[in-house]
Amino acid sequence: MYNLPKPSIVITALSLISSAAVLFCLSASSTHAEEAPLIGLGTTPSAEEIAGWDTDIRPDGHGLPDGEGDFSLGETIYDEKCSVCHGIFGEGEARWPKLAGGDVSELHIERSEKTIGSYWPYATTIFDYINRAMPFHQPHSLSNDEIYALTGYLLYLNDLVDDDYVANRDFVIAMNDEMPNRDGFIPDDRPDTNNTRCMTDCIQPHEIVVQSEAAVLKVTPEDGQETNVGNADLPLAGESAESSNASLVSLSDEDMTKAAMIYNNSCGVCHNNGVAGAPKLDDLAVWQPRIEKGLDMLHNNAINGVNAMPPKGGNTSLSDEDVMLVVDYMITKVTN
Amino acid sequence: MKKKTPVFVPLEKATFDRVIKEADQLPASDRRSFLKKASALAAGGAVAGLSAAKGLAQNPDNLPPNIPSWTKQLGSGVVTTEYGLPSEYESGMIRRYVPWLTGSREESVSFTPITDLQGIITPNGVCFERHHAGITQIVPSDHRLMIHGLVERPLLLSMDDIVRLPSRSQINFLECAANGGMEWRGAQMERAQFSHGMIMNCEWTGVPLSVLLDEAGVKSDGKWILVEGADAAGLTRTIPIEKADECLVAWAQNGEMLRPEQGYPIRICIPGFEGNMWIKWLRRIEVGDMPWQHREETSKYTDLMPDGKARFFTWVMDAKSIITTPAPEKPLKGGPGFREIRGFAWSGRGKIKAVDVSTDGGISWQTARLDAQQVFDKSMTRFTLPWRWDGSPTYLMSRAIDETGFVQPTIAQLREARGTNSIYHNNSIQTWEIKENGEVFNVQLA
C-alpha cells in the first residue's frame, strides 16, 4: 500500500534542510497540511497553467467545459473531418475504427462489433477522446461547441439520440446512463486458468493434434516486402529513372524516395484505397482531368485542401514544398 | 527495401578518395610508391568484400593455415562511428511491422526481434514501438511535468528539476497487452517476432513515482492517478495509487536517455502492468478519487468474454514464456545433433520460479536451467535446456511458472475460459513444430 511519508525522502530532506524544518515537514505530511515541499524543486503552477492542461473528462462530468452544439453542426464537422477515415455512417474505412453499428446483445458472438453504441460504457469518454486526440491529423483544432456537436452526432449515428439534440454538459452526463453497454463490464477475475505442472505421461501420443497452422495463411510479412506492402511502393534507387520520362514532372531518385516516404505516412491512407473520393494512384482515368487542370492547380489544391481532402491531407506539419513534391510523385506514379 | 548485402564498392570509393587526397600532398616520387601500396591494400579488401557478398560463403583464403585478410591490414580508427552500430553481418536484427494490421504507421506497432535477443536486456534500437499519433519529438527544455489534483502542493517540474530528484534503476519487462493478440483464433504469424515481439526488457532509471507524490502531498481521498502523454493522441490511463511505490518516472533506458520512440524525455514505468499504461512523453499526473474511464481503459484494453461481458482494469501481464531458439525464423541448421533450446519467461506477478520444456509435444516435460543471478522481479528471465535432436519431426513447447505458483496455460485452456474475442492477454503456451529438414512452424495443438 501507498503510505505517507516515505522514510527515504525524510532522510533526503535531512541533508537539505535544518532539523527543525524536518520536524516541521514530518508533521506537515502526516497531517496533509499545506506546507513547504520536502525537496523543494519545481514551481507551483498557476490556476491558469493548470486549467490549460487539465482538460480531462471523468464519468461524473468533471472537466466538461461550457458550450453546446447541435445536429447540423455535428453533421457538418463529421462529414468534413471525420468521415474520411471513419466512414459517412461511422462504418470505418480500411483499417480505421468503426464508430457505429454492432449490437450490445450480440457481443458474445464471434467477431462481434465493438462500437460506441454497442460497447462504450460512457458518453463522457467520447467528448474526452475527441478533445484530446481527434481529428487524427489535426488534434486540438476543434472548438468545444464542435466537440459537443460531434459527441451528439456519434450518439445519433448509433441511434441513441434523434437529430433534434442539443449537446452540452448536462446532455453528455445524462447520456452516460443511456449507453447500452453501461453495465457490460466486470472487474478482473483472473486467474481463470488452472494449468498444472504435469511432468511425465501428461498426454498420449495420439492426443497430439494440430488444430491450426500459421503456414497455410501466408499473412506473415517477409523481409524485402516490408516497405512495399500496405501503402504505395517505395521505389528503389534506379527504379524511378524510367518513371520520370513521360511525365509532366521529373524527379530525381532522391526526391522520389523522399516523396514516397511522405506519401506512405500522410497520403496513402486515402489515396491507396480511394477513401472519400481520393483519386487512387493506379487510376489514370480519374487523374487525367485533374492533371489537365495543370500542375499549379494540383499543387494549390493539395496545399489548401479540396472537397473531402483537408489542407495538406491533414498533415499540416508538411511544408508547402513537401506537399508539392508529393503531388509530383503521385503524378509520376499515376502516369507511368 | 533490399536486404543489405555487404559489398566492397562504398568502401573502395571512400578509401580511394582519401588515398588520392593524401597522395596529392606528397612529392611525386613518394606519391608513386604510396599509391602502389594503397592499390595493393584495396585489392586485398576487394577479395574479402566479394566473398562477403556471396552471403557469408566460406573463403578458404581466410581459414587455417592461411592468415585471414583482416589480420593483414589495419582496421579503422576510433570514432569511425561516433555512436556504434552492430556488425553489418547482423543486419537482420531489426524491428519489423505488419502492414495490414493498422490504418497507418503513426498509429501502429513494430515488433522486437525476440529471437535475436541474446540476453535479458533488449537493446534500445530494437525495442518494439507502439504509437497512437506518431513519434512525438519533444524539446526537453520546453517540456514540463505537471502534478496536480488531490494534492496539497501542485507542482510544475522542468527536466532539470526531474533529473535532480532521488533516482532508482530497475529491470522490468514492458509487454503490450495485445502481444499474441493475432493468435487467439488460431496460429497466424510464421515468425516469433510477430507472435511474441511486443515486449522489451530494459533497465529503467528515473525518479520513483512515490517521491513525486510525496513532494506534492497526496490528500487522503486521492486513490487514483491519471497519467497523460504530450503526444498528439494525449494518451491517458488511470493507475491505482496502491501501485505507485513500484512505479518510476523514467528518463533513461538501458543506460542512456530514452529514445524519442520510447517517450523522450520521460515516461512512466509500471512494472508488471500492460504496456499501454506506460505512458510515453509524460506531461501530467493528476490525483483523483475515481478512475477516469478513458478510451484506452474502456473501448480498448478491456477483454470481451464468451457471455458478452467484458473484463476491465485487467492490468497485470500473467506468466508467459517463449522458445526463441529454435523458432520459425531460427530453424535448426546442420541436421541432427546437439542443440541448446533457449528462450525467455516473464510474469507481471513477480519472479519466474521455473520453466519447463517439452520436446515431444507435451507428453513429458523437463525443467530448464535459469540464469540464477539474472532472475528479477517482473523481468524477462532467460532459460536454456540442452537437447540432442535425433532429426525426427516433433513439437517443442515451454511453460512458465511464477513465484505465485501460477502455471502458464495452454491455448485450449485460455479459450475455454475466455472464448476468442478477448484480443488481449494471450499468454498461452507456444508450440513450434519441427520438421525433418529442421524448419520450424507456428502451430496450435487441440
Side-chain angles (χ1 to χ4, degrees), chain B residues 167-198:
Chain B
S167 64
R168 186 171 80 203
S169 287
Q170 56 198 47
I171 296 176
N172 294 117
F173 75 85
L174 187 180
E175 183 184 20
C176 177
N179 199 19
M182 290 182 280
E183 308 283 305
W184 266 103
R185 293 189 172 86
Q188 179 161 237
M189 303 310 293
E190 203 67 272
R191 190 174 188 107
Q193 181 166 11
F194 296 131
S195 63
H196 288 77
M198 281 194 255

PDB file of all heavy atoms in Angstrom, chain B residues 167-198:
ATOM      1  N   SER B 167      16.777   9.063  -7.374  1.00  0.00           N
ATOM      2  CA  SER B 167      16.506   8.177  -8.507  1.00  0.00           C
ATOM      3  C   SER B 167      16.706   6.717  -8.147  1.00  0.00           C
ATOM      4  O   SER B 167      17.292   6.386  -7.111  1.00  0.00           O
ATOM      5  CB  SER B 167      17.426   8.549  -9.679  1.00  0.00           C
ATOM      6  OG  SER B 167      18.771   8.333  -9.325  1.00  0.00           O
ATOM      7  N   ARG B 168      16.221   5.858  -9.029  1.00  0.00           N
ATOM      8  CA  ARG B 168      16.309   4.411  -8.821  1.00  0.00           C
ATOM      9  C   ARG B 168      16.374   3.760 -10.197  1.00  0.00           C
ATOM     10  O   ARG B 168      15.796   4.264 -11.155  1.00  0.00           O
ATOM     11  CB  ARG B 168      15.043   3.965  -8.083  1.00  0.00           C
ATOM     12  CG  ARG B 168      15.005   2.517  -7.659  1.00  0.00           C
ATOM     13  CD  ARG B 168      13.801   2.261  -6.748  1.00  0.00           C
ATOM     14  NE  ARG B 168      12.563   2.109  -7.503  1.00  0.00           N
ATOM     15  CZ  ARG B 168      11.342   2.322  -6.993  1.00  0.00           C
ATOM     16  NH1 ARG B 168      11.196   2.714  -5.738  1.00  0.00           N
ATOM     17  NH2 ARG B 168      10.267   2.163  -7.742  1.00  0.00           N
ATOM     18  N   SER B 169      17.110   2.641 -10.273  1.00  0.00           N
ATOM     19  CA  SER B 169      17.135   1.845 -11.512  1.00  0.00           C
ATOM     20  C   SER B 169      16.512   0.493 -11.243  1.00  0.00           C
ATOM     21  O   SER B 169      16.700  -0.082 -10.168  1.00  0.00           O
ATOM     22  CB  SER B 169      18.573   1.635 -12.001  1.00  0.00           C
ATOM     23  OG  SER B 169      19.085   2.820 -12.544  1.00  0.00           O
ATOM     24  N   GLN B 170      15.795  -0.029 -12.211  1.00  0.00           N
ATOM     25  CA  GLN B 170      15.211  -1.363 -12.059  1.00  0.00           C
ATOM     26  C   GLN B 170      15.028  -1.993 -13.434  1.00  0.00           C
ATOM     27  O   GLN B 170      14.821  -1.285 -14.419  1.00  0.00           O
ATOM     28  CB  GLN B 170      13.885  -1.289 -11.299  1.00  0.00           C
ATOM     29  CG  GLN B 170      12.850  -0.362 -11.923  1.00  0.00           C
ATOM     30  CD  GLN B 170      11.738   0.019 -10.939  1.00  0.00           C
ATOM     31  OE1 GLN B 170      11.991   0.390  -9.787  1.00  0.00           O
ATOM     32  NE2 GLN B 170      10.491  -0.068 -11.403  1.00  0.00           N
ATOM     33  N   ILE B 171      15.152  -3.325 -13.465  1.00  0.00           N
ATOM     34  CA  ILE B 171      14.986  -4.054 -14.725  1.00  0.00           C
ATOM     35  C   ILE B 171      13.583  -4.636 -14.762  1.00  0.00           C
ATOM     36  O   ILE B 171      13.200  -5.397 -13.871  1.00  0.00           O
ATOM     37  CB  ILE B 171      16.045  -5.161 -14.860  1.00  0.00           C
ATOM     38  CG1 ILE B 171      17.445  -4.536 -14.935  1.00  0.00           C
ATOM     39  CG2 ILE B 171      15.768  -6.032 -16.093  1.00  0.00           C
ATOM     40  CD1 ILE B 171      18.579  -5.543 -14.965  1.00  0.00           C
ATOM     41  N   ASN B 172      12.811  -4.240 -15.764  1.00  0.00           N
ATOM     42  CA  ASN B 172      11.438  -4.742 -15.896  1.00  0.00           C
ATOM     43  C   ASN B 172      11.087  -4.963 -17.359  1.00  0.00           C
ATOM     44  O   ASN B 172      11.555  -4.238 -18.223  1.00  0.00           O
ATOM     45  CB  ASN B 172      10.424  -3.741 -15.326  1.00  0.00           C
ATOM     46  CG  ASN B 172      10.555  -3.555 -13.825  1.00  0.00           C
ATOM     47  OD1 ASN B 172      10.850  -2.467 -13.356  1.00  0.00           O
ATOM     48  ND2 ASN B 172      10.363  -4.619 -13.074  1.00  0.00           N
ATOM     49  N   PHE B 173      10.222  -5.934 -17.581  1.00  0.00           N
ATOM     50  CA  PHE B 173       9.708  -6.092 -18.939  1.00  0.00           C
ATOM     51  C   PHE B 173       8.554  -5.128 -19.164  1.00  0.00           C
ATOM     52  O   PHE B 173       7.869  -4.698 -18.238  1.00  0.00           O
ATOM     53  CB  PHE B 173       9.264  -7.541 -19.198  1.00  0.00           C
ATOM     54  CG  PHE B 173       7.964  -7.950 -18.549  1.00  0.00           C
ATOM     55  CD1 PHE B 173       6.749  -7.692 -19.169  1.00  0.00           C
ATOM     56  CD2 PHE B 173       7.947  -8.617 -17.336  1.00  0.00           C
ATOM     57  CE1 PHE B 173       5.548  -8.071 -18.585  1.00  0.00           C
ATOM     58  CE2 PHE B 173       6.754  -9.004 -16.740  1.00  0.00           C
ATOM     59  CZ  PHE B 173       5.551  -8.725 -17.359  1.00  0.00           C
ATOM     60  N   LEU B 174       8.373  -4.781 -20.412  1.00  0.00           N
ATOM     61  CA  LEU B 174       7.239  -3.954 -20.858  1.00  0.00           C
ATOM     62  C   LEU B 174       6.601  -4.746 -21.991  1.00  0.00           C
ATOM     63  O   LEU B 174       7.194  -4.909 -23.047  1.00  0.00           O
ATOM     64  CB  LEU B 174       7.744  -2.602 -21.366  1.00  0.00           C
ATOM     65  CG  LEU B 174       6.751  -1.492 -21.751  1.00  0.00           C
ATOM     66  CD1 LEU B 174       7.520  -0.264 -22.214  1.00  0.00           C
ATOM     67  CD2 LEU B 174       5.754  -1.890 -22.787  1.00  0.00           C
ATOM     68  N   GLU B 175       5.418  -5.277 -21.737  1.00  0.00           N
ATOM     69  CA  GLU B 175       4.745  -6.082 -22.755  1.00  0.00           C
ATOM     70  C   GLU B 175       3.397  -5.473 -23.088  1.00  0.00           C
ATOM     71  O   GLU B 175       2.619  -5.129 -22.194  1.00  0.00           O
ATOM     72  CB  GLU B 175       4.543  -7.528 -22.252  1.00  0.00           C
ATOM     73  CG  GLU B 175       3.917  -8.437 -23.314  1.00  0.00           C
ATOM     74  CD  GLU B 175       3.611  -9.852 -22.800  1.00  0.00           C
ATOM     75  OE1 GLU B 175       3.521 -10.052 -21.576  1.00  0.00           O
ATOM     76  OE2 GLU B 175       3.442 -10.756 -23.652  1.00  0.00           O
ATOM     77  N   CYS B 176       3.122  -5.356 -24.367  1.00  0.00           N
ATOM     78  CA  CYS B 176       1.810  -4.888 -24.808  1.00  0.00           C
ATOM     79  C   CYS B 176       0.777  -5.956 -24.466  1.00  0.00           C
ATOM     80  O   CYS B 176       1.013  -7.149 -24.665  1.00  0.00           O
ATOM     81  CB  CYS B 176       1.820  -4.637 -26.312  1.00  0.00           C
ATOM     82  SG  CYS B 176       0.203  -4.137 -26.957  1.00  0.00           S
ATOM     83  N   ALA B 177      -0.376  -5.518 -23.969  1.00  0.00           N
ATOM     84  CA  ALA B 177      -1.442  -6.470 -23.638  1.00  0.00           C
ATOM     85  C   ALA B 177      -1.883  -7.259 -24.857  1.00  0.00           C
ATOM     86  O   ALA B 177      -2.397  -8.367 -24.740  1.00  0.00           O
ATOM     87  CB  ALA B 177      -2.630  -5.735 -23.037  1.00  0.00           C
ATOM     88  N   ALA B 178      -1.658  -6.698 -26.046  1.00  0.00           N
ATOM     89  CA  ALA B 178      -2.075  -7.377 -27.282  1.00  0.00           C
ATOM     90  C   ALA B 178      -0.989  -8.267 -27.864  1.00  0.00           C
ATOM     91  O   ALA B 178      -1.149  -8.776 -28.975  1.00  0.00           O
ATOM     92  CB  ALA B 178      -2.509  -6.348 -28.324  1.00  0.00           C
ATOM     93  N   ASN B 179       0.125  -8.457 -27.133  1.00  0.00           N
ATOM     94  CA  ASN B 179       1.161  -9.372 -27.621  1.00  0.00           C
ATOM     95  C   ASN B 179       0.540 -10.767 -27.757  1.00  0.00           C
ATOM     96  O   ASN B 179       0.036 -11.313 -26.777  1.00  0.00           O
ATOM     97  CB  ASN B 179       2.333  -9.402 -26.624  1.00  0.00           C
ATOM     98  CG  ASN B 179       3.609  -9.941 -27.251  1.00  0.00           C
ATOM     99  OD1 ASN B 179       3.741  -9.975 -28.478  1.00  0.00           O
ATOM    100  ND2 ASN B 179       4.550 -10.356 -26.412  1.00  0.00           N
ATOM    101  N   GLY B 180       0.582 -11.325 -28.952  1.00  0.00           N
ATOM    102  CA  GLY B 180      -0.082 -12.614 -29.168  1.00  0.00           C
ATOM    103  C   GLY B 180      -1.543 -12.466 -29.539  1.00  0.00           C
ATOM    104  O   GLY B 180      -2.243 -13.450 -29.747  1.00  0.00           O
ATOM    105  N   GLY B 181      -1.996 -11.239 -29.649  1.00  0.00           N
ATOM    106  CA  GLY B 181      -3.408 -10.994 -29.952  1.00  0.00           C
ATOM    107  C   GLY B 181      -3.847 -11.535 -31.300  1.00  0.00           C
ATOM    108  O   GLY B 181      -5.017 -11.845 -31.502  1.00  0.00           O
ATOM    109  N   MET B 182      -2.886 -11.654 -32.221  1.00  0.00           N
ATOM    110  CA  MET B 182      -3.222 -12.163 -33.555  1.00  0.00           C
ATOM    111  C   MET B 182      -3.371 -13.679 -33.561  1.00  0.00           C
ATOM    112  O   MET B 182      -3.683 -14.270 -34.588  1.00  0.00           O
ATOM    113  CB  MET B 182      -2.158 -11.732 -34.565  1.00  0.00           C
ATOM    114  CG  MET B 182      -2.176 -10.237 -34.854  1.00  0.00           C
ATOM    115  SD  MET B 182      -0.950  -9.742 -36.079  1.00  0.00           S
ATOM    116  CE  MET B 182       0.550  -9.681 -35.096  1.00  0.00           C
ATOM    117  N   GLU B 183      -3.111 -14.324 -32.407  1.00  0.00           N
ATOM    118  CA  GLU B 183      -3.100 -15.788 -32.349  1.00  0.00           C
ATOM    119  C   GLU B 183      -4.296 -16.365 -31.585  1.00  0.00           C
ATOM    120  O   GLU B 183      -4.358 -17.567 -31.353  1.00  0.00           O
ATOM    121  CB  GLU B 183      -1.801 -16.264 -31.661  1.00  0.00           C
ATOM    122  CG  GLU B 183      -0.527 -15.689 -32.252  1.00  0.00           C
ATOM    123  CD  GLU B 183      -0.130 -16.348 -33.563  1.00  0.00           C
ATOM    124  OE1 GLU B 183      -0.002 -17.573 -33.587  1.00  0.00           O
ATOM    125  OE2 GLU B 183       0.036 -15.626 -34.570  1.00  0.00           O
ATOM    126  N   TRP B 184      -5.241 -15.510 -31.168  1.00  0.00           N
ATOM    127  CA  TRP B 184      -6.353 -16.004 -30.341  1.00  0.00           C
ATOM    128  C   TRP B 184      -7.198 -17.045 -31.062  1.00  0.00           C
ATOM    129  O   TRP B 184      -7.654 -18.025 -30.479  1.00  0.00           O
ATOM    130  CB  TRP B 184      -7.269 -14.851 -29.917  1.00  0.00           C
ATOM    131  CG  TRP B 184      -6.940 -14.275 -28.571  1.00  0.00           C
ATOM    132  CD1 TRP B 184      -6.287 -13.105 -28.332  1.00  0.00           C
ATOM    133  CD2 TRP B 184      -7.244 -14.833 -27.289  1.00  0.00           C
ATOM    134  NE1 TRP B 184      -6.165 -12.911 -26.975  1.00  0.00           N
ATOM    135  CE2 TRP B 184      -6.744 -13.945 -26.306  1.00  0.00           C
ATOM    136  CE3 TRP B 184      -7.886 -15.999 -26.861  1.00  0.00           C
ATOM    137  CZ2 TRP B 184      -6.867 -14.178 -24.941  1.00  0.00           C
ATOM    138  CZ3 TRP B 184      -8.006 -16.233 -25.502  1.00  0.00           C
ATOM    139  CH2 TRP B 184      -7.501 -15.338 -24.551  1.00  0.00           C
ATOM    140  N   ARG B 185      -7.456 -16.805 -32.351  1.00  0.00           N
ATOM    141  CA  ARG B 185      -8.357 -17.709 -33.069  1.00  0.00           C
ATOM    142  C   ARG B 185      -7.618 -18.836 -33.761  1.00  0.00           C
ATOM    143  O   ARG B 185      -8.238 -19.712 -34.362  1.00  0.00           O
ATOM    144  CB  ARG B 185      -9.167 -16.916 -34.097  1.00  0.00           C
ATOM    145  CG  ARG B 185     -10.121 -15.943 -33.469  1.00  0.00           C
ATOM    146  CD  ARG B 185     -11.073 -15.339 -34.494  1.00  0.00           C
ATOM    147  NE  ARG B 185     -12.099 -14.550 -33.847  1.00  0.00           N
ATOM    148  CZ  ARG B 185     -11.952 -13.260 -33.522  1.00  0.00           C
ATOM    149  NH1 ARG B 185     -10.842 -12.627 -33.803  1.00  0.00           N
ATOM    150  NH2 ARG B 185     -12.918 -12.614 -32.907  1.00  0.00           N
ATOM    151  N   GLY B 186      -6.310 -18.811 -33.713  1.00  0.00           N
ATOM    152  CA  GLY B 186      -5.537 -19.856 -34.362  1.00  0.00           C
ATOM    153  C   GLY B 186      -4.148 -19.351 -34.659  1.00  0.00           C
ATOM    154  O   GLY B 186      -3.897 -18.146 -34.584  1.00  0.00           O
ATOM    155  N   ALA B 187      -3.228 -20.262 -34.999  1.00  0.00           N
ATOM    156  CA  ALA B 187      -1.864 -19.863 -35.336  1.00  0.00           C
ATOM    157  C   ALA B 187      -1.911 -19.012 -36.594  1.00  0.00           C
ATOM    158  O   ALA B 187      -2.562 -19.376 -37.576  1.00  0.00           O
ATOM    159  CB  ALA B 187      -1.002 -21.098 -35.552  1.00  0.00           C
ATOM    160  N   GLN B 188      -1.263 -17.866 -36.557  1.00  0.00           N
ATOM    161  CA  GLN B 188      -1.364 -16.978 -37.710  1.00  0.00           C
ATOM    162  C   GLN B 188      -0.009 -16.476 -38.211  1.00  0.00           C
ATOM    163  O   GLN B 188       0.235 -16.426 -39.404  1.00  0.00           O
ATOM    164  CB  GLN B 188      -2.263 -15.780 -37.364  1.00  0.00           C
ATOM    165  CG  GLN B 188      -2.412 -14.795 -38.502  1.00  0.00           C
ATOM    166  CD  GLN B 188      -3.608 -13.867 -38.364  1.00  0.00           C
ATOM    167  OE1 GLN B 188      -4.452 -13.814 -39.245  1.00  0.00           O
ATOM    168  NE2 GLN B 188      -3.674 -13.138 -37.262  1.00  0.00           N
ATOM    169  N   MET B 189       0.882 -16.070 -37.287  1.00  0.00           N
ATOM    170  CA  MET B 189       2.114 -15.422 -37.718  1.00  0.00           C
ATOM    171  C   MET B 189       3.268 -16.425 -37.718  1.00  0.00           C
ATOM    172  O   MET B 189       3.572 -17.034 -36.699  1.00  0.00           O
ATOM    173  CB  MET B 189       2.461 -14.246 -36.794  1.00  0.00           C
ATOM    174  CG  MET B 189       1.351 -13.195 -36.688  1.00  0.00           C
ATOM    175  SD  MET B 189       0.697 -12.607 -38.262  1.00  0.00           S
ATOM    176  CE  MET B 189       2.112 -11.755 -38.913  1.00  0.00           C
ATOM    177  N   GLU B 190       3.931 -16.544 -38.870  1.00  0.00           N
ATOM    178  CA  GLU B 190       5.010 -17.519 -39.015  1.00  0.00           C
ATOM    179  C   GLU B 190       6.343 -16.900 -38.619  1.00  0.00           C
ATOM    180  O   GLU B 190       7.324 -16.962 -39.367  1.00  0.00           O
ATOM    181  CB  GLU B 190       5.033 -18.025 -40.456  1.00  0.00           C
ATOM    182  CG  GLU B 190       5.695 -19.374 -40.626  1.00  0.00           C
ATOM    183  CD  GLU B 190       4.928 -20.509 -39.967  1.00  0.00           C
ATOM    184  OE1 GLU B 190       5.159 -20.772 -38.781  1.00  0.00           O
ATOM    185  OE2 GLU B 190       4.097 -21.117 -40.666  1.00  0.00           O
ATOM    186  N   ARG B 191       6.361 -16.242 -37.500  1.00  0.00           N
ATOM    187  CA  ARG B 191       7.579 -15.584 -37.051  1.00  0.00           C
ATOM    188  C   ARG B 191       7.363 -15.186 -35.599  1.00  0.00           C
ATOM    189  O   ARG B 191       6.398 -14.477 -35.292  1.00  0.00           O
ATOM    190  CB  ARG B 191       7.824 -14.333 -37.913  1.00  0.00           C
ATOM    191  CG  ARG B 191       9.159 -13.704 -37.702  1.00  0.00           C
ATOM    192  CD  ARG B 191       9.440 -12.550 -38.667  1.00  0.00           C
ATOM    193  NE  ARG B 191      10.839 -12.209 -38.426  1.00  0.00           N
ATOM    194  CZ  ARG B 191      11.838 -12.478 -39.249  1.00  0.00           C
ATOM    195  NH1 ARG B 191      11.620 -12.983 -40.427  1.00  0.00           N
ATOM    196  NH2 ARG B 191      13.083 -12.202 -38.912  1.00  0.00           N
ATOM    197  N   ALA B 192       8.251 -15.640 -34.697  1.00  0.00           N
ATOM    198  CA  ALA B 192       8.082 -15.324 -33.274  1.00  0.00           C
ATOM    199  C   ALA B 192       8.119 -13.826 -33.046  1.00  0.00           C
ATOM    200  O   ALA B 192       7.507 -13.307 -32.114  1.00  0.00           O
ATOM    201  CB  ALA B 192       9.173 -16.018 -32.454  1.00  0.00           C
ATOM    202  N   GLN B 193       8.836 -13.108 -33.898  1.00  0.00           N
ATOM    203  CA  GLN B 193       8.878 -11.650 -33.783  1.00  0.00           C
ATOM    204  C   GLN B 193       7.470 -11.066 -33.825  1.00  0.00           C
ATOM    205  O   GLN B 193       7.163 -10.128 -33.090  1.00  0.00           O
ATOM    206  CB  GLN B 193       9.723 -11.061 -34.915  1.00  0.00           C
ATOM    207  CG  GLN B 193       9.847  -9.550 -34.852  1.00  0.00           C
ATOM    208  CD  GLN B 193      10.932  -9.010 -35.741  1.00  0.00           C
ATOM    209  OE1 GLN B 193      11.485  -9.727 -36.584  1.00  0.00           O
ATOM    210  NE2 GLN B 193      11.268  -7.747 -35.556  1.00  0.00           N
ATOM    211  N   PHE B 194       6.612 -11.629 -34.673  1.00  0.00           N
ATOM    212  CA  PHE B 194       5.249 -11.107 -34.789  1.00  0.00           C
ATOM    213  C   PHE B 194       4.286 -11.732 -33.785  1.00  0.00           C
ATOM    214  O   PHE B 194       3.318 -11.097 -33.381  1.00  0.00           O
ATOM    215  CB  PHE B 194       4.708 -11.329 -36.203  1.00  0.00           C
ATOM    216  CG  PHE B 194       5.470 -10.588 -37.270  1.00  0.00           C
ATOM    217  CD1 PHE B 194       5.901 -11.229 -38.416  1.00  0.00           C
ATOM    218  CD2 PHE B 194       5.752  -9.233 -37.123  1.00  0.00           C
ATOM    219  CE1 PHE B 194       6.595 -10.546 -39.402  1.00  0.00           C
ATOM    220  CE2 PHE B 194       6.450  -8.540 -38.108  1.00  0.00           C
ATOM    221  CZ  PHE B 194       6.882  -9.201 -39.247  1.00  0.00           C
ATOM    222  N   SER B 195       4.535 -12.973 -33.399  1.00  0.00           N
ATOM    223  CA  SER B 195       3.611 -13.617 -32.456  1.00  0.00           C
ATOM    224  C   SER B 195       3.947 -13.258 -31.009  1.00  0.00           C
ATOM    225  O   SER B 195       3.082 -13.320 -30.139  1.00  0.00           O
ATOM    226  CB  SER B 195       3.628 -15.138 -32.630  1.00  0.00           C
ATOM    227  OG  SER B 195       4.896 -15.675 -32.332  1.00  0.00           O
ATOM    228  N   HIS B 196       5.202 -12.889 -30.742  1.00  0.00           N
ATOM    229  CA  HIS B 196       5.629 -12.629 -29.354  1.00  0.00           C
ATOM    230  C   HIS B 196       6.481 -11.376 -29.189  1.00  0.00           C
ATOM    231  O   HIS B 196       7.044 -11.163 -28.116  1.00  0.00           O
ATOM    232  CB  HIS B 196       6.423 -13.828 -28.817  1.00  0.00           C
ATOM    233  CG  HIS B 196       5.573 -15.029 -28.546  1.00  0.00           C
ATOM    234  ND1 HIS B 196       5.112 -15.842 -29.547  1.00  0.00           N
ATOM    235  CD2 HIS B 196       5.068 -15.538 -27.394  1.00  0.00           C
ATOM    236  CE1 HIS B 196       4.369 -16.814 -29.016  1.00  0.00           C
ATOM    237  NE2 HIS B 196       4.326 -16.649 -27.720  1.00  0.00           N
ATOM    238  N   GLY B 197       6.596 -10.551 -30.231  1.00  0.00           N
ATOM    239  CA  GLY B 197       7.584  -9.464 -30.198  1.00  0.00           C
ATOM    240  C   GLY B 197       7.117  -8.133 -29.641  1.00  0.00           C
ATOM    241  O   GLY B 197       7.846  -7.147 -29.728  1.00  0.00           O
ATOM    242  N   MET B 198       5.913  -8.063 -29.073  1.00  0.00           N
ATOM    243  CA  MET B 198       5.513  -6.789 -28.463  1.00  0.00           C
ATOM    244  C   MET B 198       5.964  -6.769 -27.010  1.00  0.00           C
ATOM    245  O   MET B 198       5.158  -6.616 -26.081  1.00  0.00           O
ATOM    246  CB  MET B 198       4.007  -6.585 -28.585  1.00  0.00           C
ATOM    247  CG  MET B 198       3.572  -6.107 -29.950  1.00  0.00           C
ATOM    248  SD  MET B 198       1.874  -5.489 -29.930  1.00  0.00           S
ATOM    249  CE  MET B 198       1.020  -6.831 -30.717  1.00  0.00           C
TER     250      MET B 198
END
